[in-house]
Every structure is written in C-alpha cells, then in structure tokens.
Amino acid sequence: MKTRDKILLSSLELFNERGERNITTNHIAAHLAISPGNLYYHFRNKSDIIYEIFQEYEKLVDYYLDIPEDRLLTLDDLTFYLESVFDGLWSYRFFHRDLEYLLDSDTRLRQDYREFTNRCLAAINRIFGKLAEAGIIEPQPEDLRSAMSLNVWLVITNWMAFLKTAHASDEPASLTLTELKQGIYQVLTLELPYLTPDYREQVLALREKYRPTLPENPEQNGDSSRAETGVSVGIG
C-alpha cells in the first residue's frame, strides 16, 4: 500500500476510535512510524486528510445508491440499500459524530456535503418511486415523496447522535454496528403508512429484525444504576 493510502486509512481508523478533534497529524505520523515531514509531503494539513476521506465516503455511498433502471426493485434491494448506507455510516462514523464542526472548519467540505446530501435525497426519492412501480408502496405525489425522502435522510444521519446523547451509555466509545443498524427499524417505520397490503407483512417482518433495544432511564427514586430490562423505541 502506498504511503498516501496508509495515511488515509490510519487517519480514518484513529478518527473513528478516538474522535477527530483528539487526533493531530503528529499522532497519525507516530501511528504509522513515519516522520511528520513525510506526512506533510502527501498532505498539507489535517483538513486535507479529512477532505480526501470524505471524498472516498461520497464515492462509496454513491455506489451503494446506484439504482437499477432496467428492472423492478425488490425487498432484497431495499434491504441492501439500508444495510449498505448504515455500513457506510459506521465505516466513516467520526464524520457524522462531528459533522457541524467539520463543515464549519472547511468551506470545501461544506460545499461538497451540500451536494452530497442533494444527491442522496434524489436517490432516496428515486427508490421510493421504484418501490411504487414494484407495488411495494402506494404511489405518492412528488411533494409527499420528497418529504418522505427528507425524513428518511434525517433519521439515517441523526440516529447515531440520538444513540450518543439521549441513550448514551457510560462508555463514550461503546456504540456498536448492531446498535447503529437498529436505525433501519426507524426508517422502515416511516414507510409503514404507504405499504401495499401484499407487502405489509413482509416489511413488518424485515423491520422486526432491527428492533432497537435500548437501556431504560435510571429509576426516579434515586437509584443511579441502569435498569437491566431493555425497551424498544419506534412506532408499532
């Protein structure tokens, strides 16, 4: 692997594990056992590293959301889209943990992320249209389909923040891929009102595979320990 690629891979690993704000270029160089000068030969600063990592993330999500035009979509396709997008969130989780800060720190990133969001919204909109063509959901007018697409995007991009705040555990780095993918339950919940009768039970069964089980809040009687019984969130 080329040194440039090693820098990107190690930076992503360190950002995910420790948080981008806690990692400097010196940390990255030490992790790779190279000199800071060698790192700066490839990247001027940490912002350039982050920007290139984001470009790789963009390519990955664009690939995942490549929608076939020559056939109808299936529930397997829907599952693939959801699983893949959440896999991408996990692989680049540092980015969504600190999104506002990162966008404020780099105007290139802010512009690219805006365009990336618009592409993702358009892809989700097309997926809804194709699901309607396949008879999985009822056809919707364009304004409703756009609103549905935005709601799905908001759930996908904010599910991690919800887990890290409203249902945060005692360990900051305790989030798992399984917990993150439980956001799929919430996305499928948004689609329930629009399912056709022929597919409702199948989608309900698919949704159940991702039902979140989150810790209860501590008892209000002063006991600070967490209750062991899990509670599910979502509608239905």
Side-chain angles (χ1 to χ4, degrees), residues 155 176 215:
V155 170
T176 66

Side-chain angles (χ1 to χ4, degrees), residues 129-209:
K130 295 285 284 186
L131 290 174
E133 288 179 21
I136 297 174
I137 64 172
E138 299 289 350
Q140 304 297 331
E142 177 58 33
D143 58 343
L144 177 56
R145 198 162 68 240
S146 295
M148 291 163 58
S149 302
L150 178 57
N151 287 343
V152 166
W153 180 247
L154 291 174
V155 170
I156 290 172
T157 55
N158 287 282
W159 179 246
M160 184 185 302
F162 172 78
L163 291 177
K164 301 293 287 185
T165 54
H167 284 274
S169 69
D170 294 332
E171 293 295 328
S174 65
L175 181 67
T176 66
L177 177 58
T178 297
E179 290 171 328
L180 184 64
K181 283 191 175 182
Q182 288 169 351
I184 294 174
Y185 180 96
Q186 309 303 131
V187 173
L188 292 174
T189 296
L190 293 174
E191 300 175 12
L192 292 185
Y194 312 104
L195 294 173
T196 60
D198 289 344
Y199 283 90
R200 183 174 178 82
E201 292 305 317
Q202 295 178 65
V203 174
L204 285 173
L206 174 62
R207 184 184 72 143
E208 196 61 28
K209 295 179 181 178

Side-chain angles (χ1 to χ4, degrees), residues 6-16 23 28 31-32 39 49 53 94:
K6 289 180 180 179
I7 292 171
L8 291 172
L9 188 60
S10 294
S11 298
L12 178 58
E13 178 185 346
L14 292 171
F15 293 159
N16 281 338
I23 298 299
I28 298 167
H31 183 76
L32 287 167
L39 185 147
I49 296 174
I53 289 174
F94 86 91

Side-chain angles (χ1 to χ4, degrees), residues 17-18 42 48 52 60 71 112 118 131-132 164 171 176 183 209 218:
E17 289 181 355
R18 304 181 198 175
H42 297 281
D48 284 353
E52 192 149 332
L60 182 67
R71 63 174 178 82
D112 280 18
N118 289 336
L131 290 174
K164 301 293 287 185
E171 293 295 328
T176 66
K209 295 179 181 178

Side-chain angles (χ1 to χ4, degrees), residues 36-103:
N38 194 353
L39 185 147
Y40 289 127
Y41 174 79
H42 297 281
F43 297 96
R44 295 176 303 170
N45 49 46
K46 190 171 72 168
S47 292
D48 284 353
I49 296 174
I50 293 169
Y51 183 66
E52 192 149 332
I53 289 174
F54 174 70
Q55 289 181 313
E56 292 302 314
Y57 175 50
E58 277 189 295
K59 294 175 185 176
L60 182 67
V61 176
D62 286 342
Y63 171 75
Y64 285 154
L65 295 181
D66 184 25
I67 301 160
E69 300 296 339
D70 58 345
R71 63 174 178 82
L72 297 176
L73 292 189
T74 66
L75 285 184
D76 286 341
D77 291 317
L78 178 59
T79 304
F80 171 79
Y81 293 138
L82 292 171
E83 284 270 353
S84 298
V85 167
F86 277 88
D87 278 333
L89 279 175
W90 176 257
S91 297
Y92 295 84
R93 58 193 177 277
F94 86 91
F95 190 79
H96 287 275
R97 277 199 309 245
D98 242 349
L99 179 60
E100 186 175 355
Y101 168 78
L102 292 172
L103 297 185

Side-chain angles (χ1 to χ4, degrees), residues 98-111:
D98 242 349
L99 179 60
E100 186 175 355
Y101 168 78
L102 292 172
L103 297 185
D104 285 342
S105 302
D106 191 332
T107 55
R108 299 171 302 173
L109 200 57
R110 175 174 288 277
Q111 178 63 34

